[in-house]
Every structure is written in C-alpha cells, then in structure tokens.
Amino acid sequence: QVHLVESGGGVVQPGGSLRVSCEASGFTFRNYGMSWVRQAPGKGLQWVAFIQSDANKEYYSDSVKGRFTVSRDNSKNTLYLHMSGLRADDSAVYYCAKGIDPAVVTVFDDWGQGTLVTVSS
Amino acid sequence: DIQMTQSPSSVSASVGDRVTITCQASQAIGTWLAWYQQKPGQAPKLLIFPASRLQSGVPSRFSGSGSGTDFTLTISSLQPEDFATYYCQQANSFPLAFGQGTRLEIK
C-alpha cells in the first residue's frame, strides 16, 4: 500500500525560505518520477515541479522557476521541495504525487495528505 | 505551454441526473488527458486516464471521451458520493496543467 507523507509546512515571512519533504513507502521509490502539486485555499490545483526517478531531469512551472528546487534522496525514499523567495501567492497546501507507473510520470495515482505553507508577515 | 479550459465552473444537479463536464486543451494532446475527483479536505483521486479509460475501482457510471483538444467527463446517474470538484489535466508535456475545476453541487 502506497503511503506519501508530507511534512515541513508552516508560516514563513515573505522573501523567506522553507523546505518541505515527502516520505514515501509501499512502492519502489527509486523507480518513479515524482511531482509537487499545490492548491491555494479555496482554489484549484496547480502543478509545481517534477523530478525524474534518477534525479537527472527536473521541470518547473513558470511561477516557481528560479525560486523553487525539487530534489530527492532515493536512499531515504524522500522527495523534497526547497522554496525560496516566497511570496503571498505561494501560500497553499503542497501535495507530493506519484506517477502511475515508471513510464507514465505525468499522471498521478497516489497523493499525500498535503502540507500547508503560509507566507505572511 | 498548454492551457486547459474547463466548463462549467459549477453545476447544480440532483441524485440520478446525468452530468457532463467539458475540457478543452489549447493544443492537441492526443488522449493524454486525466480526470480527477476531489472532495473537501482530501487529496485528488484519479478517475480516468487516458481520456476514456476508467481506473480500477471507479464506478462505471463515470465515462470519459475525446481526443485532440476536446474532452468530456460524464456521470450517467449521479450518486450522493459524486458531489465533489472535478479537474481535468493535460499529461502530454511539461509544464503540466489542470483545468480550473468544476464544482458539482446538490440541487
């Protein structure tokens, strides 16, 4: 049974930095591409970032490019999102999401419960 | 970048009704289209991918169709547990994109 557990959310001041994590279990983490998807309060879903299974390739949405960095530690079955230059419009629940199989990395069949990031002074 | 336009943004319906939600991509994506259901306080759940294939365990009252730029999600006979928000997502290329969502409410 797949489990994805996010942590590290909290309140951060504008311009600040934060790292959120996603600990994975129940599947062979090193074989799957992973993404971060966020949802601002009362709003829709927004894809944020993707990292390939071997960490050799990353993609970002235009809204976070240059400010956010996705990484992973396959020895620890953990996905990370390091966020810097945070703005109020980055406030959201951040979900980690797993691709449906190693060859299809752009569709998500398992999601974590999310971690809330609030950017406020 | 590919943009997804979903409509309607909200719809009110009754148990037993048939409901259709549409999603349009700004450029052709073949059948690389996924549909998700999200209930309040929960993570999204994958219903359909590619465009017309139901995921395991999804009731047969859900169906998807379309290819290229125009897609639909149909619920043939609404059940109480179907009242939720539905999102389409293009899975063809990065950056990935979701539609704005359709909130399905009880009339």
Side-chain angles (χ1 to χ4, degrees):
Chain A
Q1 186 175 0
V2 172
H3 279 292
L4 298 169
V5 180
E6 300 95 338
S7 61
V11 180
V12 59
Q13 292 190 339
S17 298
L18 193 68
R19 188 183 79 168
V20 294
S21 304
C22 171
E23 187 169 345
S25 61
F27 67 105
T28 307
F29 179 74
R30 65 179 180 272
N31 289 346
Y32 286 80
M34 299 290 295
S35 279
W36 288 97
V37 176
R38 69 184 181 183
Q39 187 168 36
K43 303 298 184 181
L45 300 170
Q46 182 187 27
W47 173 80
V48 173
F50 164 82
I51 186 166
Q52 193 168 280
S53 57
D54 58 6
N56 279 345
K57 197 167 288 185
E58 303 161 23
Y59 296 99
Y60 298 92
S61 68
D62 287 347
S63 60
V64 307
K65 198 174 298 182
R67 300 187 299 122
F68 289 14
T69 302
V70 60
S71 63
R72 63 192 296 160
D73 186 337
N74 285 344
S75 69
K76 295 182 177 179
N77 290 346
T78 302
L79 176 73
Y80 303 100
L81 185 68
H82 186 263
M83 303 177 284
S84 62
L86 282 161
R87 311 184 302 224
D89 63 358
D90 293 317
S91 297
V93 172
Y94 284 74
Y95 295 101
C96 64
K98 167 188 160 290
I100 60 173
D101 71 40
V104 180
V105 300
T106 55
V107 180
F108 314 118
D109 60 347
D110 288 289
W111 299 63
Q113 85 290 347
T115 188
L116 177 62
V117 173
T118 302
V119 183
S120 174
S121 54
Chain B
D1 298 357
I2 300 172
Q3 277 78 51
M4 307 301 292
T5 303
Q6 194 175 332
S7 63
S9 57
S10 66
V11 57
S12 294
S14 301
V15 172
D17 284 354
R18 178 185 180 94
V19 170
T20 296
I21 299 168
T22 65
C23 183
Q24 185 171 62
S26 60
Q27 58 187 268
I29 58 172
T31 58
W32 286 83
L33 190 285
W35 289 99
Y36 299 86
Q37 176 193 66
Q38 187 180 32
K39 296 181 178 180
Q42 297 183 17
K45 173 187 175 183
L46 178 64
L47 296 178
I48 292 172
F49 175 78
S52 60
R53 182 182 301 171
L54 259 60
Q55 293 297 296
S56 175
V58 175
S60 58
R61 62 181 178 273
F62 290 89
S63 63
S65 65
S67 66
T69 60
D70 295 302
F71 303 88
T72 61
L73 171 70
T74 298
I75 311 172
S76 60
S77 179
L78 279 170
Q79 298 301 300
E81 60 268 29
D82 300 336
F83 292 94
T85 301
Y86 293 85
Y87 296 92
C88 62
Q89 180 227 326
Q90 72 84 6
N92 182 72
S93 60
F94 290 103
L96 306 179
F98 291 88
Q100 308 95 304
T102 296
R103 184 176 178 182
L104 179 51
E105 301 172 316
I106 300 174
K107 184 183 287 184

